[in-house]
mmCIF file of all heavy atoms in Angstrom:
data_model
loop_
_atom_site.group_PDB
_atom_site.id
_atom_site.type_symbol
_atom_site.label_atom_id
_atom_site.label_comp_id
_atom_site.label_asym_id
_atom_site.label_seq_id
_atom_site.Cartn_x
_atom_site.Cartn_y
_atom_site.Cartn_z
ATOM 1 N N GLU E 234 14.119 -8.512 14.034
ATOM 2 C CA GLU E 234 13.988 -8.266 15.455
ATOM 3 C C GLU E 234 13.226 -6.962 15.769
ATOM 4 O O GLU E 234 13.482 -5.931 15.057
ATOM 5 C CB GLU E 234 15.388 -8.117 16.180
ATOM 6 C CG GLU E 234 16.133 -9.363 16.308
ATOM 7 C CD GLU E 234 16.892 -9.785 15.093
ATOM 8 O OE1 GLU E 234 16.999 -9.009 14.109
ATOM 9 O OE2 GLU E 234 17.322 -10.932 15.001
ATOM 10 N N GLU E 235 12.256 -7.019 16.599
ATOM 11 C CA GLU E 235 11.501 -5.818 17.043
ATOM 12 C C GLU E 235 10.430 -5.457 16.004
ATOM 13 O O GLU E 235 9.831 -4.328 16.179
ATOM 14 C CB GLU E 235 12.401 -4.699 17.370
ATOM 15 C CG GLU E 235 13.331 -4.879 18.539
ATOM 16 C CD GLU E 235 13.998 -3.643 19.001
ATOM 17 O OE1 GLU E 235 13.260 -2.708 19.419
ATOM 18 O OE2 GLU E 235 15.207 -3.619 18.913
ATOM 19 N N TYR E 236 10.200 -6.255 15.055
ATOM 20 C CA TYR E 236 9.031 -5.980 14.145
ATOM 21 C C TYR E 236 7.898 -6.881 14.555
ATOM 22 O O TYR E 236 8.024 -8.011 15.013
ATOM 23 C CB TYR E 236 9.383 -6.333 12.755
ATOM 24 C CG TYR E 236 10.160 -5.241 12.008
ATOM 25 C CD1 TYR E 236 11.496 -4.998 12.256
ATOM 26 C CD2 TYR E 236 9.555 -4.434 11.029
ATOM 27 C CE1 TYR E 236 12.245 -4.004 11.583
ATOM 28 C CE2 TYR E 236 10.208 -3.466 10.315
ATOM 29 C CZ TYR E 236 11.572 -3.225 10.672
ATOM 30 O OH TYR E 236 12.229 -2.265 9.916
ATOM 31 N N TRP E 237 6.669 -6.410 14.383
ATOM 32 C CA TRP E 237 5.463 -7.113 14.530
ATOM 33 C C TRP E 237 4.974 -7.619 13.180
ATOM 34 O O TRP E 237 5.093 -6.916 12.165
ATOM 35 C CB TRP E 237 4.391 -6.303 15.157
ATOM 36 C CG TRP E 237 4.602 -5.872 16.518
ATOM 37 C CD1 TRP E 237 5.332 -4.813 16.992
ATOM 38 C CD2 TRP E 237 4.072 -6.536 17.723
ATOM 39 N NE1 TRP E 237 5.336 -4.777 18.353
ATOM 40 C CE2 TRP E 237 4.591 -5.778 18.893
ATOM 41 C CE3 TRP E 237 3.272 -7.616 17.949
ATOM 42 C CZ2 TRP E 237 4.301 -6.196 20.181
ATOM 43 C CZ3 TRP E 237 2.971 -8.035 19.276
ATOM 44 C CH2 TRP E 237 3.486 -7.306 20.304
ATOM 45 N N ILE E 238 4.494 -8.842 13.066
ATOM 46 C CA ILE E 238 4.001 -9.304 11.828
ATOM 47 C C ILE E 238 2.860 -10.249 12.060
ATOM 48 O O ILE E 238 2.778 -11.005 13.040
ATOM 49 C CB ILE E 238 5.113 -9.969 11.014
ATOM 50 C CG1 ILE E 238 4.692 -10.281 9.523
ATOM 51 C CG2 ILE E 238 5.633 -11.208 11.647
ATOM 52 C CD1 ILE E 238 5.824 -10.604 8.638
ATOM 53 N N THR E 239 1.825 -10.220 11.155
ATOM 54 C CA THR E 239 0.771 -11.165 11.189
ATOM 55 C C THR E 239 -0.013 -11.046 9.823
ATOM 56 O O THR E 239 0.404 -10.234 8.987
ATOM 57 C CB THR E 239 -0.288 -10.768 12.305
ATOM 58 O OG1 THR E 239 -1.209 -11.895 12.478
ATOM 59 C CG2 THR E 239 -1.018 -9.471 12.066
ATOM 60 N N ASP E 240 -1.040 -11.837 9.617
ATOM 61 C CA ASP E 240 -1.878 -11.678 8.482
ATOM 62 C C ASP E 240 -3.097 -10.809 8.971
ATOM 63 O O ASP E 240 -4.012 -11.309 9.603
ATOM 64 C CB ASP E 240 -2.436 -13.027 7.942
ATOM 65 C CG ASP E 240 -3.358 -12.846 6.786
ATOM 66 O OD1 ASP E 240 -2.794 -12.823 5.665
ATOM 67 O OD2 ASP E 240 -4.534 -12.723 6.969
ATOM 68 N N ALA E 241 -3.067 -9.541 8.662
ATOM 69 C CA ALA E 241 -4.034 -8.642 9.209
ATOM 70 C C ALA E 241 -5.479 -9.030 8.902
ATOM 71 O O ALA E 241 -6.314 -9.061 9.843
ATOM 72 C CB ALA E 241 -3.765 -7.226 8.733
ATOM 73 N N PRO E 242 -5.813 -9.352 7.663
ATOM 74 C CA PRO E 242 -7.233 -9.668 7.443
ATOM 75 C C PRO E 242 -7.711 -10.840 8.266
ATOM 76 O O PRO E 242 -8.797 -10.795 8.895
ATOM 77 C CB PRO E 242 -7.230 -10.092 5.936
ATOM 78 C CG PRO E 242 -6.071 -9.357 5.370
ATOM 79 C CD PRO E 242 -4.977 -9.375 6.474
ATOM 80 N N SER E 243 -6.859 -11.871 8.531
ATOM 81 C CA SER E 243 -7.318 -13.070 9.211
ATOM 82 C C SER E 243 -7.323 -12.735 10.724
ATOM 83 O O SER E 243 -8.217 -13.118 11.487
ATOM 84 C CB SER E 243 -6.413 -14.209 8.890
ATOM 85 O OG SER E 243 -6.783 -15.357 9.687
ATOM 86 N N TYR E 244 -6.225 -12.113 11.193
ATOM 87 C CA TYR E 244 -6.156 -11.877 12.705
ATOM 88 C C TYR E 244 -7.196 -10.955 13.177
ATOM 89 O O TYR E 244 -7.785 -11.153 14.266
ATOM 90 C CB TYR E 244 -4.736 -11.347 12.941
ATOM 91 C CG TYR E 244 -4.423 -11.281 14.380
ATOM 92 C CD1 TYR E 244 -4.107 -12.442 15.156
ATOM 93 C CD2 TYR E 244 -4.330 -10.120 15.076
ATOM 94 C CE1 TYR E 244 -3.855 -12.371 16.513
ATOM 95 C CE2 TYR E 244 -4.006 -9.996 16.410
ATOM 96 C CZ TYR E 244 -3.720 -11.212 17.161
ATOM 97 O OH TYR E 244 -3.437 -11.136 18.479
ATOM 98 N N PHE E 245 -7.538 -9.947 12.411
ATOM 99 C CA PHE E 245 -8.377 -8.893 12.821
ATOM 100 C C PHE E 245 -9.826 -9.150 12.478
ATOM 101 O O PHE E 245 -10.735 -8.606 13.130
ATOM 102 C CB PHE E 245 -7.927 -7.519 12.328
ATOM 103 C CG PHE E 245 -6.542 -7.109 12.906
ATOM 104 C CD1 PHE E 245 -5.606 -6.667 12.062
ATOM 105 C CD2 PHE E 245 -6.385 -7.175 14.270
ATOM 106 C CE1 PHE E 245 -4.324 -6.219 12.589
ATOM 107 C CE2 PHE E 245 -5.155 -6.789 14.820
ATOM 108 C CZ PHE E 245 -4.153 -6.301 13.944
ATOM 109 N N ARG E 246 -10.085 -9.848 11.389
ATOM 110 C CA ARG E 246 -11.467 -10.216 11.083
ATOM 111 C C ARG E 246 -11.496 -11.670 11.239
ATOM 112 O O ARG E 246 -10.540 -12.303 11.745
ATOM 113 C CB ARG E 246 -11.790 -9.927 9.594
ATOM 114 C CG ARG E 246 -11.548 -8.384 9.283
ATOM 115 C CD ARG E 246 -11.356 -8.250 7.767
ATOM 116 N NE ARG E 246 -11.271 -6.797 7.415
ATOM 117 C CZ ARG E 246 -11.067 -6.376 6.239
ATOM 118 N NH1 ARG E 246 -10.937 -7.195 5.165
ATOM 119 N NH2 ARG E 246 -11.018 -4.974 6.005
#
Side-chain angles (χ1 to χ4, degrees):
Chain E
E234 289 81 11
E235 297 191 61
Y236 277 75
W237 291 84
I238 190 168
T239 191
D240 180 90
S243 177
Y244 190 73
F245 293 131
R246 303 162 175 176

